[in-house]
Amino acid sequence: DAKTTQPTSMDCAEGRAANLPCNHSTISGNEYVYWYRQIHSQGPQYIIHGLKNNETNEMASLIITEDRKSSTLILPHATLRDTAVYYCIVRRTGTASKLTFGTGTRLQVTL
Amino acid sequence: GAVVSQHPSWVICKSGTSVKIECRSLDFQATTMFWYRQFPKQSLMLMATSNEGSKATYEQGVEKDKFLINHASLTLSTLTVTSAHPEDSSFYICSGGAGIQETQYFGPGTRLLVL
């Protein structure tokens, strides 16, 4: 699976949009971009994933560049409860396709 | 999203004893589950892939005789830490895949402390 690069940490004011970037320049054509987050002392929570089109759900939006070498996770109105480590992972779909976690981005949402 | 549970949520045991951790998929069936562990201030590290009805596959450096995995049904995988030692103290997390694309959903984790 392709490796990803994320900033180590970011800050965001509550109520503002949080934009978390991820580089995955070696992504293959059959690999999806997945985003998870881990709030302290909990298991990772699935947020969103996409192949090449932009995706939106109740939690976030995922913007993938046309060349698929990078993406941005957008939390439209960050709250204090969004403070967590966010992981961007590229992965082939399928039963045996595991997730390889990097170091992620620690997002701190402040008042 | 799909729900995965783990039991127990935390456990304290004496050195040399064995500890069993259960991972259940509550609203989906999982032919494959994954087991991870996470040490303080570190990321998740994959330990093994649990396959229903067959042997688990272990990542390099993970002792299969120490971390016994059983995946006897499509909704239950167990991880047994045998002869636990203080260095096995960690946060153990499982995941299972749901949906056409087998999106992985994670359990809440089990915190193990070996004294």
Side-chain angles (χ1 to χ4, degrees), chain A residues 32 36 38 49 91 95 102, chain B residues 32 38 43 46 101-102 104:
Chain A
Y32 285 69
Y36 287 82
Q38 187 177 26
H49 75 282
R91 168 186 180 258
T95 305
Chain B
T32 300
Q38 185 176 32
S43 189
L46 180 66
Q101 295 171 345
E102 293 284 330
Q104 291 295 308

Side-chain angles (χ1 to χ4, degrees), chain A residues 2-111:
Chain A
K3 292 185 177 179
T4 63
T5 305
Q6 299 177 251
T8 302
S9 64
M10 294 182 64
D11 291 334
C12 178
E14 189 176 34
R16 306 297 291 267
N19 298 287
L20 291 88
C22 179
N23 287 318
H24 31 79
S25 58
T26 60
I27 191 170
S28 300
N30 61 351
E31 289 180 318
Y32 285 69
V33 180
Y34 281 79
W35 283 84
Y36 287 82
R37 72 181 182 184
Q38 187 177 26
I39 296 170
H40 184 61
S41 295
Q42 298 181 22
Q45 178 187 22
Y46 166 77
I47 301 173
I48 198 167
H49 75 282
L51 182 63
K52 55 182 179 181
N53 297 321
N54 297 337
E55 301 288 345
T56 295
N57 63 19
E58 65 277 6
M59 289 184 67
S61 295
L62 174 61
I63 308 298
I64 303 174
T65 58
E66 194 168 342
D67 62 7
R68 301 207 326 122
K69 293 184 176 182
S70 65
S71 60
T72 301
L73 178 74
I74 301 172
L75 307 178
H77 305 287
T79 71
L80 297 177
R81 286 179 292 184
D82 292 322
T83 293
V85 178
Y86 287 76
Y87 296 98
C88 168
I89 303 169
V90 291
R91 168 186 180 258
R92 290 173 290 110
T93 60
T95 305
S97 185
K98 57 192 177 186
L99 293 169
T100 301
F101 285 79
T103 53
T105 296
R106 182 171 298 276
L107 175 68
Q108 180 69 53
V109 180
T110 57
L111 291 172

Side-chain angles (χ1 to χ4, degrees), chain B residues 58-74:
Chain B
Y58 292 81
E59 296 298 300
Q60 191 172 10
V62 177
E63 301 174 57
K64 61 179 176 65
D65 293 331
K66 180 169 184 62
F67 298 99
L68 301 179
I69 290 173
N70 184 276
H71 195 155
S73 79
L74 290 173

Side-chain angles (χ1 to χ4, degrees), chain B residues 79-101:
Chain B
L79 169 69
T80 301
V81 183
T82 63
S83 187
H85 291 284
E87 58 265 30
D88 298 322
S89 298
S90 189
F91 191 47
Y92 292 86
I93 310 166
C94 67
S95 73
I100 297 173
Q101 295 171 345

